[in-house]
């Protein structure tokens, strides 16, 4: 079989002097070359042979020409496109001597706030220009945002649109998907026929999330697991990892990452304006900080005169879990919530080992452990924990630590009593999730914060194949166990007849079957 580079040299040698391969992705291979006629360095992207055969040249090249008409300071243009005699599809772009956003993240992991906002805002302005002309990128990721002279250039406007428009059912048959799972919107990952500009907004929100804290919103062992998390799980707060993220930036990112397109920013312009406002606010804060630092040098500095730094801001928004995580969270919430409420009212702690009753209503729910080592169980354990925190937080007599407060102890070997002292709580709740064959076992523990001693352990085991049907019976079993410990006042709160997003749970089931 002829080497692709030799094949290209044979086909394009009169126009381009191909030098070497400089990159390779899921859909294309990139070569550095010299444009003989114009004496300029270019990048030639060649689609994988099997993809070229599947797509066909006419439709692909027609879509490429549409993208080639985009002219914007923050868009990397297209010079040329075509098909070789060997039926390989290619297109030609300027060769950028700088680096990609991925290259910079590999070096720095997190970007300064000013740089992050500027780069993503410029990308948003480029995308708004394309959206106004009916072009959705579909594959926004750090690799496709190039940095030149400190400014962003959005690349590959042609390939994702062309492959998507030209591929149709043939693309699905190859087992390939347009987009990258870490940055793919829920509707795109579900294969929706209606993917519009708001999908790009979601993807760019994922990029901003990563440049701020060093990793995308969701990761996983494979593409199916990642896409399922995008569809069902709550996006973790930026401020938990990076407390310096302003509230305005947190809110802008979280709105971009809403599961439902109608709940996101409705245009890239709106997103860009929000980022521009956040940039201005950040600049004002830097100016104020410099002035304060200058003023502080004009007076004697003593320990007594220093003002402690304010605590990291708590995220201002509480978001609801959907899909499978909601199902898991509801398994034992009712019984445990009212059980802890009973503890808060008791004058004498149950079993004689709980912290003083005055502290028992200060509760922290630690992240449940996955005993099976499976990614799906880890997500289930997370959903159980966060659902329990949410439900307990609605009980007026309880003071419950937020999920952001307990996240730092996730998987931590720190003793339970030390965690309780650090969080200033009297009662801890932890547990684990385990699956054996077709059965699911959930264990919940009540722990005395003062001593770290386990006060009560309750386990439930049921078939795992139909969580929707068994949810109510599991909750009733949990309440019965708690009644034996805490008394007849424990009552099961009324359960909803069904989940709010059964389709999301079915997606998770399909994902598990595919794995």
């Amino acid at each position: 079989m002829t080497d692709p580079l030799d094949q290209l040299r044979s086909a394009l040698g009169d126009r381009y002097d191909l030098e070497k391969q400089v990159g390779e992705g899921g859909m294309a291979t990139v070569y550095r070359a010299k444009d003989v006629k114009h004496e300029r360095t270019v990048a030639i992207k060649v689609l994988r042979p099997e993809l070229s055969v599947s797509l066909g040249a006419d439709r692909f090249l027609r879509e490429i020409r549409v993208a080639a008409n985009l002219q914007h300071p923050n868009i990397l243009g297209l010079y040329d496109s075509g098909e070789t005699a060997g039926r390989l599809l290619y297109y030609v772009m300027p060769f950028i001597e700088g680096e990609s956003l991925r290259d910079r993240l590999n070096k720095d992991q997190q970007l300064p706030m000013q740089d992050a906002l500027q780069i993503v805002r410029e990308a948003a302005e480029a995308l708004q220009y394309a959206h106004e002309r009916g072009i959705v990128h579909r594959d926004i990721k750090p690799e496709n945002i190039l940095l030149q002279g400190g400014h962003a250039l959005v690349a590959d406007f042609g390939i994702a649109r062309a492959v998507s428009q030209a591929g149709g059912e043939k693309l699905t048959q190859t087992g390939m998907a347009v987009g990258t799972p870490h940055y793919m919107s829920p509707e795109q990952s579900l294969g929706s026929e209606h993917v519009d500009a708001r999908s790009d907004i979601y993807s760019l929100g994922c990029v901003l999330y990563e440049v701020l804290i060093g990793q995308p919103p969701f990761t996983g062992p494979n593409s199916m697991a990642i896409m399922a998390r995008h569809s069902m799980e709550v996006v973790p707060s930026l401020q938990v990892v990076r407390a310096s993220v302003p509230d305005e930036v947190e809110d802008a990112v979280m709105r971009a990452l809403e599961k439902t397109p109608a709940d996101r920013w409705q245009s890239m312009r709106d997103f860009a304006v929000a980022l521009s406002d956040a940039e201005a606010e950040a600049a004002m804060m830097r100016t104020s900080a410099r002035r304060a630092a200058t003023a502080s040098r004009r007076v004697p500095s003593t320990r007594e005169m220093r003002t402690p730094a304010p605590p990291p801001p708590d995220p201002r928004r509480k978001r609801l879990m959907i899909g499978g995580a909601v199902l898991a969270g509801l398994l034992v919430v009712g019984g445990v919530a009212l059980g802890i409420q009973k503890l808060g009212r008791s004058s004498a702690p149950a079993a004689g080992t709980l912290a003083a009753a005055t502290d028992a209503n200060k509760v922290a729910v630690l992240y449940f452990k996955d005993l099976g080592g499976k990614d799906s169980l880890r997500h289930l354990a997370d959903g159980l924990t966060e659902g329990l925190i949410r439900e307990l937080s609605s009980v007026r007599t309880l003071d419950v630590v937020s999920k952001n407060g307990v996240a730092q102890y996730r998987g931590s070997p720190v003793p339970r009593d030390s965690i309780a002292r650090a969080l200033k709580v009297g009662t801890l709740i932890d547990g684990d999730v385990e699956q054996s064959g077709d059965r699911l076992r959930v264990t919940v523990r009540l722990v005395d914060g003062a001593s770290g001693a386990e006060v009560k352990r309750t386990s439930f085991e049921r078939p795992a194949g139909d969580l929707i049907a068994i949810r109510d019976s599991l909750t009733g079993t949990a309440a019965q166990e708690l009644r034996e410990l805490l008394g007849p006042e424990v009552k099961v709160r009324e359960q909803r007849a069904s989940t709010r997003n059964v389709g999301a749970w079915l997606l998770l089931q399909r994902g598990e079957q595919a794995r």
Side-chain angles (χ1 to χ4, degrees):
M1 182 176 180
T2 305
D3 180 83
L5 182 56
D6 292 337
Q7 184 178 337
L8 284 172
R9 282 174 173 154
S10 175
L12 305 177
D14 59 331
R15 298 162 57 192
Y16 300 104
D17 181 12
L18 277 86
E19 299 174 356
K20 61 179 181 179
Q21 178 179 325
V22 294
E24 186 172 13
M27 295 186 187
T29 303
V30 189
Y31 299 92
R32 176 177 172 142
K34 184 74 71 176
D35 184 337
V36 176
K37 180 179 180 179
H38 301 97
E39 297 184 349
R40 60 189 177 187
T41 303
V42 298
I44 301 179
K45 284 204 169 186
V46 183
L47 266 62
R48 286 167 41 182
E50 63 270 30
L51 185 57
S52 294
V53 171
S54 176
L55 296 181
D58 293 342
R59 181 82 182 271
F60 176 79
L61 296 175
R62 185 163 63 250
E63 294 296 339
I64 283 288
R65 284 194 292 272
V66 172
N69 289 322
L70 296 176
Q71 301 293 326
H72 187 276
N74 298 112
I75 291 178
L76 185 67
L78 295 177
Y79 287 156
D80 192 12
S81 61
E83 179 187 18
T84 70
R87 311 295 293 176
L88 290 178
L89 302 175
Y90 70 90
Y91 61 105
V92 184
M93 308 176 298
F95 187 88
I96 301 301
E97 296 290 350
E99 61 183 357
S100 70
L101 183 54
R102 169 60 63 211
D103 294 330
R104 183 162 180 193
L105 285 171
N106 288 340
K107 291 187 304 183
D108 300 337
Q109 189 175 11
Q110 298 175 344
L111 270 58
M113 185 65 60
Q114 184 177 9
D115 291 358
L117 294 176
Q118 175 196 321
I119 290 169
V120 175
R121 175 181 52 77
E122 290 176 349
E125 291 169 353
L127 289 163
Q128 174 64 29
Y129 170 87
H131 293 166
E132 289 171 350
R133 286 150 183 80
I135 297 178
V136 179
H137 191 290
R138 295 173 180 261
D139 194 19
I140 292 296
K141 56 186 177 182
E143 289 81 353
N144 283 338
I145 299 177
L146 308 181
L147 304 178
Q148 186 178 49
H151 294 281
L153 286 172
V154 181
D156 271 1
F157 264 97
I159 187 169
R161 171 185 166 88
V163 169
S164 177
Q165 294 293 327
E169 294 181 358
K170 292 182 179 180
L171 180 64
T172 303
Q173 292 169 5
T174 67
M176 299 178 63
V178 178
T180 304
H182 289 97
Y183 312 97
M184 195 181 294
S185 68
E187 64 271 21
Q188 189 175 355
S189 66
L190 286 168
S192 172
E193 295 181 359
H194 184 65
V195 174
D196 58 24
R198 295 171 295 184
S199 181
D200 280 351
I201 292 172
Y202 186 95
S203 298
L204 190 60
C206 291
V207 171
L208 180 52
Y209 190 102
E210 181 172 4
V211 300
L212 289 173
I213 71 167
Q215 66 178 27
F218 300 112
T219 58
N222 52 53
S223 297
M224 187 67 70
I226 296 169
M227 290 189 291
R229 295 190 70 189
H230 276 291
S231 296
M232 290 176 287
E233 291 194 19
V234 168
V235 179
S237 169
L238 291 159
Q239 293 171 333
V240 171
V241 176
R242 189 170 174 179
S244 61
V245 173
D247 289 339
E248 293 80 8
V249 175
E250 169 99 358
D251 289 344
V253 174
M254 293 305 175
R255 183 168 178 182
L257 297 181
E258 290 286 357
K259 308 295 184 190
T260 304
D263 293 334
R264 297 175 203 150
W265 301 104
Q266 293 303 288
S267 72
M268 272 293 182
R269 178 179 288 109
D270 293 339
F271 191 20
V273 168
L275 297 179
S276 181
D277 291 345
E279 279 186 273
E281 182 69 21
M284 290 176 59
M285 292 177 64
R286 288 194 300 272
T287 300
S288 299
R290 285 195 297 268
R291 289 174 179 171
T294 300
S296 68
R297 290 194 292 268
R298 295 173 182 167
V299 297
S301 178
T302 66
R303 184 177 300 274
E304 289 75 14
M305 294 174 63
R306 295 179 187 139
T307 302
D314 288 332
R316 301 182 302 174
R317 304 170 62 187
K318 291 186 177 179
R319 303 167 182 87
L320 297 178
M321 295 292 288
I322 65 172
V326 166
L327 293 172
L330 289 174
L331 295 181
V332 295
V333 157
V336 176
L338 290 171
I340 296 301
Q341 187 174 13
K342 167 67 177 179
L343 287 174
R345 293 196 304 265
S346 298
S347 59
T353 60
L354 279 176
T358 54
D359 296 327
N361 66 336
K362 296 180 180 179
V363 179
V365 183
L366 304 182
Y367 269 85
F368 280 33
K369 293 182 288 295
D370 156 31
L371 299 183
K374 296 181 180 179
D375 188 67
S376 58
L377 279 189
R378 181 169 62 83
H379 302 332
L380 190 68
D382 289 354
L384 178 62
T385 304
E386 293 174 6
L388 186 55
I389 291 172
R390 186 177 66 252
E391 294 297 329
L392 291 179
S393 297
S394 67
V395 179
R396 288 176 296 176
T397 57
L398 296 180
D399 182 4
V400 182
V401 177
S402 71
K403 66 183 180 70
N404 300 323
V406 298
Q408 60 188 310
Y409 299 106
R410 189 179 197 161
S412 171
V414 176
R416 293 294 184 255
D417 56 337
S418 297
I419 295 176
R421 284 194 297 271
L423 296 176
K424 300 180 181 179
V425 299
T427 302
L428 294 173
I429 301 175
D430 73 0
D432 50 61
V433 181
E434 184 175 16
Q435 186 167 356
S436 176
D438 61 351
R439 299 186 70 80
L440 177 71
R441 184 179 182 85
V442 179
T443 300
V444 180
R445 303 178 188 86
L446 303 184
V447 178
D448 172 31
S451 65
E454 182 179 308
V455 177
K456 176 67 177 178
R457 174 185 303 196
T458 307
S459 296
F460 317 94
E461 183 174 334
R462 293 289 188 277
D466 192 353
L467 284 176
I468 297 177
I470 66 175
R471 180 190 55 196
D472 291 345
S473 63
L474 278 177
T475 305
T477 302
Q480 178 60 38
E481 294 290 336
L482 287 170
R483 276 194 202 84
E484 295 177 6
L485 173 68
L486 302 174
E489 298 161 0
V490 177
K491 297 186 183 302
V492 182
R493 70 182 180 89
E494 184 178 355
Q495 299 292 315
R496 290 189 291 270
S498 62
T499 68
R500 294 188 300 167
N501 195 333
V502 176
W505 174 245
L506 293 177
L507 171 65
L508 178 58
Q509 295 298 323
R510 289 197 298 270
E512 290 174 347
Q513 292 169 5
R515 267 202 306 278

